Amino acid sequence: MMRRFSSLTILFCLAAIFFSGCSTVPSNGITQVATIDALLTGVYEGHMSLQELRSYGNFGLGTFEGLDGEMVFIDGTFYKVRADGKVYTPALSERTPFACVTAFDPDHRETITEQTDLAALEKRIDALVPEPNRFCAFKVRGTFDHVKARSVPAQQKPYPPLVEVTRNQPVFNLSNVQGTLIGFRSPPFVKGVNVPGYHVHFLVEDHSGGGHVLDFVMREGTLEADTVHDWLNIYLPTENPSFARADLTVDRTGETQAVEK
Ligand code: ZN
């Protein structure tokens, strides 16, 4: 009996190795759902469940079906910062119209002891990864004097373009908080596909707030960075006709700037 049990165990292990070896998840790369320009035009239908998205990483950011809040994905757990400023735990069956994730495995860690704002953090990461065509995922856990973050209110169909929604976006001024910044620095060549430059979301340590970061003043913290430039894996929605039919001929650089910064 004992012998049979161990041979079953070995079989199970071999199967696990076989299936993990056949995994289609690229390592040291980024997986994203749809494109930023599709989101800008108002394609807010959910294309992929959080359950499936989680199979591509444990770290990232994005939004939810109907543009219902900002996604912060930390250590394999999804958080949703809604327009009321509160943090919710979404069901894994919820879907996302746009998200960007990676299996975060930092290859650099440093302590930041001087006062740092968003521009100073960007400068620090640019010095760390000077090649402009490389992606960098980063996480900063710190003590903040101030974080200015926003969220977006859930939308009903027919969905308006994102620039119209963010004109009335709720902005949260979070003071004296501990929390974590989650972000990506993406190369200029992702224009139209993702956000070139910096895209940062925030979660307060006790889950009392967060959102899409507009600026901050950090007192001190720890920066972890992971260069994730081997792959850019893009899920192109096939089920939903709105993605296939979206007008993606227009240069939306100005809209991206208006919406993200
Ligand atoms: Zn964002």
Side-chain angles (χ1 to χ4, degrees):
M1 192 63 198
M2 187 68 189
R3 201 172 174 150
R4 187 171 170 200
F5 173 75
S6 46
S7 57
L8 273 176
T9 309
I10 291 165
L11 197 68
F12 178 78
C13 292
L14 284 174
I17 290 163
F18 176 79
F19 285 114
S20 64
C22 291
S23 165
T24 53
V25 180
S27 61
N28 203 37
I30 285 172
T31 296
Q32 71 169 76
V33 174
T35 66
I36 190 70
D37 273 16
L39 193 74
L40 286 167
T41 64
V43 180
Y44 307 147
E45 287 87 353
H47 308 304
M48 185 188 280
S49 71
L50 303 186
Q51 177 85 49
E52 188 181 351
L53 185 63
R54 205 169 59 160
S55 69
Y56 294 101
N58 59 1
F59 170 105
L61 47 78
T63 185
F64 299 89
E65 171 127 41
L67 210 65
D68 186 18
E70 304 284 353
M71 177 195 296
V72 194
F73 185 30
I74 302 182
D75 298 330
T77 303
F78 291 100
Y79 300 94
K80 179 199 279 198
V81 185
R82 298 188 75 198
D84 60 6
K86 292 183 182 149
V87 180
Y88 299 81
T89 306
L92 290 175
S93 56
E94 283 197 38
R95 297 166 78 83
T96 175
F98 179 79
C100 185
V101 304
T102 189
F104 191 66
D105 180 19
D107 33 43
H108 178 87
R109 177 175 295 157
E110 66 185 39
T111 305
I112 301 175
T113 49
E114 66 263 36
Q115 185 172 294
T116 302
D117 61 8
L118 180 57
L121 179 70
E122 292 180 1
K123 227 171 150 183
R124 192 179 271 266
I125 293 167
D126 285 345
L128 212 58
V129 189
E131 304 87 352
N133 296 330
R134 287 194 159 171
F135 286 89
C136 180
F138 57 91
K139 182 193 223 178
V140 183
R141 197 159 171 243
T143 307
F144 296 81
D145 285 339
H146 189 83
V147 179
K148 186 180 176 189
R150 73 105 199 270
S151 186
V152 275
Q155 300 297 304
Q156 305 297 325
K157 288 183 181 180
Y159 293 137
L162 193 49
V163 271
E164 273 179 37
V165 178
T166 55
R167 239 170 247 149
N168 301 308
Q169 64 188 10
V171 173
F172 317 118
N173 288 297
L174 309 163
S175 294
N176 299 312
V177 285
Q178 288 217 312
T180 306
L181 299 167
I182 290 282
F184 290 96
R185 187 203 70 180
S186 302
F189 68 75
V190 301
K191 183 165 87 89
V193 171
N194 204 314
V195 179
Y198 285 82
H199 189 182
V200 190
H201 285 194
F202 182 69
L203 183 71
V204 179
E205 194 81 24
D206 64 5
H207 305 167
S208 60
H212 171 105
V213 173
L214 300 172
D215 206 355
F216 61 82
V217 177
M218 185 178 77
R219 224 172 299 151
E220 42 104 24
T222 308
L223 162 67
E224 291 179 301
D226 186 10
T227 45
V228 280
H229 45 73
D230 289 4
W231 294 92
L232 176 59
N233 186 32
I234 307 172
Y235 176 70
L236 300 169
T238 47
E239 284 171 31
N240 202 313
S242 60
F243 178 82
R245 291 187 191 139
D247 179 9
L248 304 178
T249 61
V250 183
D251 184 339
R252 298 186 193 273
T253 306
E255 287 177 45
T256 311
Q257 286 289 324
V259 160
E260 303 294 336
K261 309 296 174 189

